[in-house]
Amino acid sequence: MILSPSILAADFGILGEQIKILEKAGADWLHIDVMDGNFVPNITFAMPVIKSIRKYTDMFFDVHLMIDRPERYINDIIDSGADGVTIHIESTEIPDECIRMIKARGKKAAVTLKPATPVEAVIPYIEKSDMTLVMTVEPGMGGQKYMYDMNEKVRRLREIAPEGYNIEVDGGVTLDNLAEITAAGANVIVAGTCVFKGDIEKNVKEMMRICGR
């Protein structure tokens, strides 16, 4: 099980301090959403932010590109410090080339799909990628409710994915639904509000306990 706290819910005034708390508590990755205000209705961090926090931590940077034509920025995102890059199959006409670009830089490549996109759309890319991210809310805004029907996508992916393949979920994860999510087959958990609201260290440790770590 891999916990990837989403900095979308962090306090950017003390982000460096909060990252250190995450590390101390045992969180594995740092989930960074890059949004362009076009593919999704929000604008967030890009290269300067990723580069600025890279110097504070050696954590794995799990960068989720919610942008049109991500192929334009993959190399810049990697140059800024990304360890893994996730692209939406709905956002590009050349997902194969995007995956190739990421892997050519020695980084982990992942594909993702919006809730309305059928799981069949990512099946051609499973053998070529390292992870599939199942969006369990509509991408673009934090704090939404978990869509429980997305668990069926997770189950389907776990059935067909090769051994060791990562399946990530993002959106609406709470302490109350985490056990059900992992039982469906997800092994990489993105959580924002659930981690950053209240005592960060306590929240991380409780999530890891529920995940059996």
mmCIF file with all atom_site columns, all heavy atoms in Angstrom, residues 67-83:
data_model
loop_
_atom_site.group_PDB
_atom_site.id
_atom_site.type_symbol
_atom_site.label_atom_id
_atom_site.label_alt_id
_atom_site.label_comp_id
_atom_site.label_asym_id
_atom_site.label_entity_id
_atom_site.label_seq_id
_atom_site.pdbx_PDB_ins_code
_atom_site.Cartn_x
_atom_site.Cartn_y
_atom_site.Cartn_z
_atom_site.occupancy
_atom_site.B_iso_or_equiv
_atom_site.pdbx_formal_charge
_atom_site.auth_seq_id
_atom_site.auth_comp_id
_atom_site.auth_asym_id
_atom_site.auth_atom_id
_atom_site.pdbx_PDB_model_num
ATOM 1   N N   . ILE A 1 67 ? -4.412 18.502 -17.854 1.00 0.00 ? 67 ILE A N   1
ATOM 2   C CA  . ILE A 1 67 ? -4.205 19.581 -18.822 1.00 0.00 ? 67 ILE A CA  1
ATOM 3   C C   . ILE A 1 67 ? -4.408 19.049 -20.238 1.00 0.00 ? 67 ILE A C   1
ATOM 4   O O   . ILE A 1 67 ? -4.234 17.864 -20.503 1.00 0.00 ? 67 ILE A O   1
ATOM 5   C CB  . ILE A 1 67 ? -2.789 20.183 -18.712 1.00 0.00 ? 67 ILE A CB  1
ATOM 6   C CG1 . ILE A 1 67 ? -1.712 19.130 -18.993 1.00 0.00 ? 67 ILE A CG1 1
ATOM 7   C CG2 . ILE A 1 67 ? -2.562 20.779 -17.314 1.00 0.00 ? 67 ILE A CG2 1
ATOM 8   C CD1 . ILE A 1 67 ? -0.291 19.669 -18.992 1.00 0.00 ? 67 ILE A CD1 1
ATOM 9   N N   . ASP A 1 68 ? -4.782 19.956 -21.137 1.00 0.00 ? 68 ASP A N   1
ATOM 10  C CA  . ASP A 1 68 ? -4.897 19.587 -22.545 1.00 0.00 ? 68 ASP A CA  1
ATOM 11  C C   . ASP A 1 68 ? -3.515 19.368 -23.145 1.00 0.00 ? 68 ASP A C   1
ATOM 12  O O   . ASP A 1 68 ? -2.559 20.088 -22.828 1.00 0.00 ? 68 ASP A O   1
ATOM 13  C CB  . ASP A 1 68 ? -5.611 20.693 -23.327 1.00 0.00 ? 68 ASP A CB  1
ATOM 14  C CG  . ASP A 1 68 ? -7.118 20.604 -23.197 1.00 0.00 ? 68 ASP A CG  1
ATOM 15  O OD1 . ASP A 1 68 ? -7.640 19.475 -23.135 1.00 0.00 ? 68 ASP A OD1 1
ATOM 16  O OD2 . ASP A 1 68 ? -7.777 21.656 -23.144 1.00 0.00 ? 68 ASP A OD2 1
ATOM 17  N N   . ARG A 1 69 ? -3.412 18.371 -23.994 1.00 0.00 ? 69 ARG A N   1
ATOM 18  C CA  . ARG A 1 69 ? -2.176 18.044 -24.703 1.00 0.00 ? 69 ARG A CA  1
ATOM 19  C C   . ARG A 1 69 ? -0.961 18.025 -23.770 1.00 0.00 ? 69 ARG A C   1
ATOM 20  O O   . ARG A 1 69 ? -0.038 18.827 -23.897 1.00 0.00 ? 69 ARG A O   1
ATOM 21  C CB  . ARG A 1 69 ? -1.959 19.008 -25.866 1.00 0.00 ? 69 ARG A CB  1
ATOM 22  C CG  . ARG A 1 69 ? -2.979 18.833 -26.990 1.00 0.00 ? 69 ARG A CG  1
ATOM 23  C CD  . ARG A 1 69 ? -2.755 19.810 -28.108 1.00 0.00 ? 69 ARG A CD  1
ATOM 24  N NE  . ARG A 1 69 ? -3.035 21.176 -27.678 1.00 0.00 ? 69 ARG A NE  1
ATOM 25  C CZ  . ARG A 1 69 ? -2.425 22.265 -28.176 1.00 0.00 ? 69 ARG A CZ  1
ATOM 26  N NH1 . ARG A 1 69 ? -1.481 22.129 -29.096 1.00 0.00 ? 69 ARG A NH1 1
ATOM 27  N NH2 . ARG A 1 69 ? -2.752 23.458 -27.744 1.00 0.00 ? 69 ARG A NH2 1
ATOM 28  N N   . PRO A 1 70 ? -0.950 17.107 -22.821 1.00 0.00 ? 70 PRO A N   1
ATOM 29  C CA  . PRO A 1 70 ? 0.143  17.056 -21.839 1.00 0.00 ? 70 PRO A CA  1
ATOM 30  C C   . PRO A 1 70 ? 1.512  16.840 -22.463 1.00 0.00 ? 70 PRO A C   1
ATOM 31  O O   . PRO A 1 70 ? 2.526  17.171 -21.842 1.00 0.00 ? 70 PRO A O   1
ATOM 32  C CB  . PRO A 1 70 ? -0.255 15.873 -20.951 1.00 0.00 ? 70 PRO A CB  1
ATOM 33  C CG  . PRO A 1 70 ? -1.137 15.024 -21.807 1.00 0.00 ? 70 PRO A CG  1
ATOM 34  C CD  . PRO A 1 70 ? -1.909 16.000 -22.639 1.00 0.00 ? 70 PRO A CD  1
ATOM 35  N N   . GLU A 1 71 ? 1.543  16.314 -23.683 1.00 0.00 ? 71 GLU A N   1
ATOM 36  C CA  . GLU A 1 71 ? 2.824  16.087 -24.350 1.00 0.00 ? 71 GLU A CA  1
ATOM 37  C C   . GLU A 1 71 ? 3.648  17.371 -24.473 1.00 0.00 ? 71 GLU A C   1
ATOM 38  O O   . GLU A 1 71 ? 4.877  17.329 -24.578 1.00 0.00 ? 71 GLU A O   1
ATOM 39  C CB  . GLU A 1 71 ? 2.613  15.463 -25.738 1.00 0.00 ? 71 GLU A CB  1
ATOM 40  C CG  . GLU A 1 71 ? 1.748  16.264 -26.696 1.00 0.00 ? 71 GLU A CG  1
ATOM 41  C CD  . GLU A 1 71 ? 0.255  15.946 -26.603 1.00 0.00 ? 71 GLU A CD  1
ATOM 42  O OE1 . GLU A 1 71 ? -0.162 15.304 -25.624 1.00 0.00 ? 71 GLU A OE1 1
ATOM 43  O OE2 . GLU A 1 71 ? -0.470 16.350 -27.527 1.00 0.00 ? 71 GLU A OE2 1
ATOM 44  N N   . ARG A 1 72 ? 2.983  18.519 -24.427 1.00 0.00 ? 72 ARG A N   1
ATOM 45  C CA  . ARG A 1 72 ? 3.696  19.801 -24.528 1.00 0.00 ? 72 ARG A CA  1
ATOM 46  C C   . ARG A 1 72 ? 4.555  20.092 -23.304 1.00 0.00 ? 72 ARG A C   1
ATOM 47  O O   . ARG A 1 72 ? 5.509  20.875 -23.383 1.00 0.00 ? 72 ARG A O   1
ATOM 48  C CB  . ARG A 1 72 ? 2.698  20.942 -24.712 1.00 0.00 ? 72 ARG A CB  1
ATOM 49  C CG  . ARG A 1 72 ? 1.868  20.873 -25.985 1.00 0.00 ? 72 ARG A CG  1
ATOM 50  C CD  . ARG A 1 72 ? 0.842  21.982 -26.008 1.00 0.00 ? 72 ARG A CD  1
ATOM 51  N NE  . ARG A 1 72 ? -0.141 21.836 -24.936 1.00 0.00 ? 72 ARG A NE  1
ATOM 52  C CZ  . ARG A 1 72 ? -0.935 22.819 -24.518 1.00 0.00 ? 72 ARG A CZ  1
ATOM 53  N NH1 . ARG A 1 72 ? -0.831 24.044 -25.043 1.00 0.00 ? 72 ARG A NH1 1
ATOM 54  N NH2 . ARG A 1 72 ? -1.819 22.601 -23.561 1.00 0.00 ? 72 ARG A NH2 1
ATOM 55  N N   . TYR A 1 73 ? 4.213  19.495 -22.153 1.00 0.00 ? 73 TYR A N   1
ATOM 56  C CA  . TYR A 1 73 ? 4.856  19.880 -20.899 1.00 0.00 ? 73 TYR A CA  1
ATOM 57  C C   . TYR A 1 73 ? 5.519  18.737 -20.137 1.00 0.00 ? 73 TYR A C   1
ATOM 58  O O   . TYR A 1 73 ? 6.084  18.958 -19.064 1.00 0.00 ? 73 TYR A O   1
ATOM 59  C CB  . TYR A 1 73 ? 3.817  20.536 -19.989 1.00 0.00 ? 73 TYR A CB  1
ATOM 60  C CG  . TYR A 1 73 ? 3.235  21.798 -20.570 1.00 0.00 ? 73 TYR A CG  1
ATOM 61  C CD1 . TYR A 1 73 ? 1.927  21.816 -21.054 1.00 0.00 ? 73 TYR A CD1 1
ATOM 62  C CD2 . TYR A 1 73 ? 3.993  22.959 -20.662 1.00 0.00 ? 73 TYR A CD2 1
ATOM 63  C CE1 . TYR A 1 73 ? 1.389  22.969 -21.612 1.00 0.00 ? 73 TYR A CE1 1
ATOM 64  C CE2 . TYR A 1 73 ? 3.465  24.112 -21.220 1.00 0.00 ? 73 TYR A CE2 1
ATOM 65  C CZ  . TYR A 1 73 ? 2.160  24.118 -21.688 1.00 0.00 ? 73 TYR A CZ  1
ATOM 66  O OH  . TYR A 1 73 ? 1.640  25.253 -22.245 1.00 0.00 ? 73 TYR A OH  1
ATOM 67  N N   . ILE A 1 74 ? 5.458  17.533 -20.666 1.00 0.00 ? 74 ILE A N   1
ATOM 68  C CA  . ILE A 1 74 ? 6.002  16.386 -19.936 1.00 0.00 ? 74 ILE A CA  1
ATOM 69  C C   . ILE A 1 74 ? 7.466  16.586 -19.561 1.00 0.00 ? 74 ILE A C   1
ATOM 70  O O   . ILE A 1 74 ? 7.868  16.370 -18.414 1.00 0.00 ? 74 ILE A O   1
ATOM 71  C CB  . ILE A 1 74 ? 5.803  15.088 -20.748 1.00 0.00 ? 74 ILE A CB  1
ATOM 72  C CG1 . ILE A 1 74 ? 4.331  14.654 -20.676 1.00 0.00 ? 74 ILE A CG1 1
ATOM 73  C CG2 . ILE A 1 74 ? 6.719  13.970 -20.244 1.00 0.00 ? 74 ILE A CG2 1
ATOM 74  C CD1 . ILE A 1 74 ? 3.973  13.520 -21.612 1.00 0.00 ? 74 ILE A CD1 1
ATOM 75  N N   . ASN A 1 75 ? 8.280  16.994 -20.509 1.00 0.00 ? 75 ASN A N   1
ATOM 76  C CA  . ASN A 1 75 ? 9.704  17.159 -20.211 1.00 0.00 ? 75 ASN A CA  1
ATOM 77  C C   . ASN A 1 75 ? 9.944  18.274 -19.198 1.00 0.00 ? 75 ASN A C   1
ATOM 78  O O   . ASN A 1 75 ? 10.815 18.141 -18.323 1.00 0.00 ? 75 ASN A O   1
ATOM 79  C CB  . ASN A 1 75 ? 10.491 17.411 -21.492 1.00 0.00 ? 75 ASN A CB  1
ATOM 80  C CG  . ASN A 1 75 ? 10.735 16.133 -22.278 1.00 0.00 ? 75 ASN A CG  1
ATOM 81  O OD1 . ASN A 1 75 ? 11.090 15.101 -21.726 1.00 0.00 ? 75 ASN A OD1 1
ATOM 82  N ND2 . ASN A 1 75 ? 10.530 16.192 -23.591 1.00 0.00 ? 75 ASN A ND2 1
ATOM 83  N N   . ASP A 1 76 ? 9.192  19.355 -19.293 1.00 0.00 ? 76 ASP A N   1
ATOM 84  C CA  . ASP A 1 76 ? 9.339  20.450 -18.333 1.00 0.00 ? 76 ASP A CA  1
ATOM 85  C C   . ASP A 1 76 ? 8.939  20.006 -16.926 1.00 0.00 ? 76 ASP A C   1
ATOM 86  O O   . ASP A 1 76 ? 9.588  20.375 -15.932 1.00 0.00 ? 76 ASP A O   1
ATOM 87  C CB  . ASP A 1 76 ? 8.484  21.646 -18.748 1.00 0.00 ? 76 ASP A CB  1
ATOM 88  C CG  . ASP A 1 76 ? 9.007  22.336 -19.997 1.00 0.00 ? 76 ASP A CG  1
ATOM 89  O OD1 . ASP A 1 76 ? 10.225 22.246 -20.251 1.00 0.00 ? 76 ASP A OD1 1
ATOM 90  O OD2 . ASP A 1 76 ? 8.196  22.957 -20.706 1.00 0.00 ? 76 ASP A OD2 1
ATOM 91  N N   . ILE A 1 77 ? 7.864  19.216 -16.827 1.00 0.00 ? 77 ILE A N   1
ATOM 92  C CA  . ILE A 1 77 ? 7.415  18.705 -15.532 1.00 0.00 ? 77 ILE A CA  1
ATOM 93  C C   . ILE A 1 77 ? 8.480  17.794 -14.927 1.00 0.00 ? 77 ILE A C   1
ATOM 94  O O   . ILE A 1 77 ? 8.782  17.866 -13.730 1.00 0.00 ? 77 ILE A O   1
ATOM 95  C CB  . ILE A 1 77 ? 6.081  17.947 -15.694 1.00 0.00 ? 77 ILE A CB  1
ATOM 96  C CG1 . ILE A 1 77 ? 4.930  18.934 -15.992 1.00 0.00 ? 77 ILE A CG1 1
ATOM 97  C CG2 . ILE A 1 77 ? 5.769  17.107 -14.463 1.00 0.00 ? 77 ILE A CG2 1
ATOM 98  C CD1 . ILE A 1 77 ? 4.528  19.815 -14.841 1.00 0.00 ? 77 ILE A CD1 1
ATOM 99  N N   . ILE A 1 78 ? 9.061  16.945 -15.737 1.00 0.00 ? 78 ILE A N   1
ATOM 100 C CA  . ILE A 1 78 ? 10.113 16.057 -15.252 1.00 0.00 ? 78 ILE A CA  1
ATOM 101 C C   . ILE A 1 78 ? 11.352 16.856 -14.847 1.00 0.00 ? 78 ILE A C   1
ATOM 102 O O   . ILE A 1 78 ? 11.967 16.593 -13.814 1.00 0.00 ? 78 ILE A O   1
ATOM 103 C CB  . ILE A 1 78 ? 10.448 14.991 -16.313 1.00 0.00 ? 78 ILE A CB  1
ATOM 104 C CG1 . ILE A 1 78 ? 9.258  14.024 -16.464 1.00 0.00 ? 78 ILE A CG1 1
ATOM 105 C CG2 . ILE A 1 78 ? 11.721 14.226 -15.943 1.00 0.00 ? 78 ILE A CG2 1
ATOM 106 C CD1 . ILE A 1 78 ? 9.408  13.033 -17.595 1.00 0.00 ? 78 ILE A CD1 1
ATOM 107 N N   . ASP A 1 79 ? 11.700 17.841 -15.645 1.00 0.00 ? 79 ASP A N   1
ATOM 108 C CA  . ASP A 1 79 ? 12.847 18.687 -15.309 1.00 0.00 ? 79 ASP A CA  1
ATOM 109 C C   . ASP A 1 79 ? 12.635 19.410 -13.976 1.00 0.00 ? 79 ASP A C   1
ATOM 110 O O   . ASP A 1 79 ? 13.609 19.732 -13.278 1.00 0.00 ? 79 ASP A O   1
ATOM 111 C CB  . ASP A 1 79 ? 13.092 19.729 -16.404 1.00 0.00 ? 79 ASP A CB  1
ATOM 112 C CG  . ASP A 1 79 ? 13.657 19.124 -17.685 1.00 0.00 ? 79 ASP A CG  1
ATOM 113 O OD1 . ASP A 1 79 ? 14.197 18.000 -17.626 1.00 0.00 ? 79 ASP A OD1 1
ATOM 114 O OD2 . ASP A 1 79 ? 13.549 19.778 -18.741 1.00 0.00 ? 79 ASP A OD2 1
ATOM 115 N N   . SER A 1 80 ? 11.390 19.656 -13.620 1.00 0.00 ? 80 SER A N   1
ATOM 116 C CA  . SER A 1 80 ? 11.077 20.357 -12.372 1.00 0.00 ? 80 SER A CA  1
ATOM 117 C C   . SER A 1 80 ? 11.187 19.459 -11.152 1.00 0.00 ? 80 SER A C   1
ATOM 118 O O   . SER A 1 80 ? 11.230 19.956 -10.023 1.00 0.00 ? 80 SER A O   1
ATOM 119 C CB  . SER A 1 80 ? 9.665  20.946 -12.445 1.00 0.00 ? 80 SER A CB  1
ATOM 120 O OG  . SER A 1 80 ? 9.580  21.894 -13.487 1.00 0.00 ? 80 SER A OG  1
ATOM 121 N N   . GLY A 1 81 ? 11.190 18.123 -11.366 1.00 0.00 ? 81 GLY A N   1
ATOM 122 C CA  . GLY A 1 81 ? 11.366 17.223 -10.238 1.00 0.00 ? 81 GLY A CA  1
ATOM 123 C C   . GLY A 1 81 ? 10.385 16.085 -10.127 1.00 0.00 ? 81 GLY A C   1
ATOM 124 O O   . GLY A 1 81 ? 10.404 15.353 -9.137  1.00 0.00 ? 81 GLY A O   1
ATOM 125 N N   . ALA A 1 82 ? 9.513  15.890 -11.124 1.00 0.00 ? 82 ALA A N   1
ATOM 126 C CA  . ALA A 1 82 ? 8.544  14.792 -11.064 1.00 0.00 ? 82 ALA A CA  1
ATOM 127 C C   . ALA A 1 82 ? 9.240  13.441 -11.140 1.00 0.00 ? 82 ALA A C   1
ATOM 128 O O   . ALA A 1 82 ? 10.196 13.264 -11.897 1.00 0.00 ? 82 ALA A O   1
ATOM 129 C CB  . ALA A 1 82 ? 7.539  14.911 -12.199 1.00 0.00 ? 82 ALA A CB  1
ATOM 130 N N   . ASP A 1 83 ? 8.751  12.491 -10.343 1.00 0.00 ? 83 ASP A N   1
ATOM 131 C CA  . ASP A 1 83 ? 9.239  11.111 -10.396 1.00 0.00 ? 83 ASP A CA  1
ATOM 132 C C   . ASP A 1 83 ? 8.290  10.215 -11.180 1.00 0.00 ? 83 ASP A C   1
ATOM 133 O O   . ASP A 1 83 ? 8.695  9.216  -11.758 1.00 0.00 ? 83 ASP A O   1
ATOM 134 C CB  . ASP A 1 83 ? 9.393  10.554 -8.979  1.00 0.00 ? 83 ASP A CB  1
ATOM 135 C CG  . ASP A 1 83 ? 10.436 11.314 -8.177  1.00 0.00 ? 83 ASP A CG  1
ATOM 136 O OD1 . ASP A 1 83 ? 11.609 11.268 -8.564  1.00 0.00 ? 83 ASP A OD1 1
ATOM 137 O OD2 . ASP A 1 83 ? 10.066 11.959 -7.183  1.00 0.00 ? 83 ASP A OD2 1
#
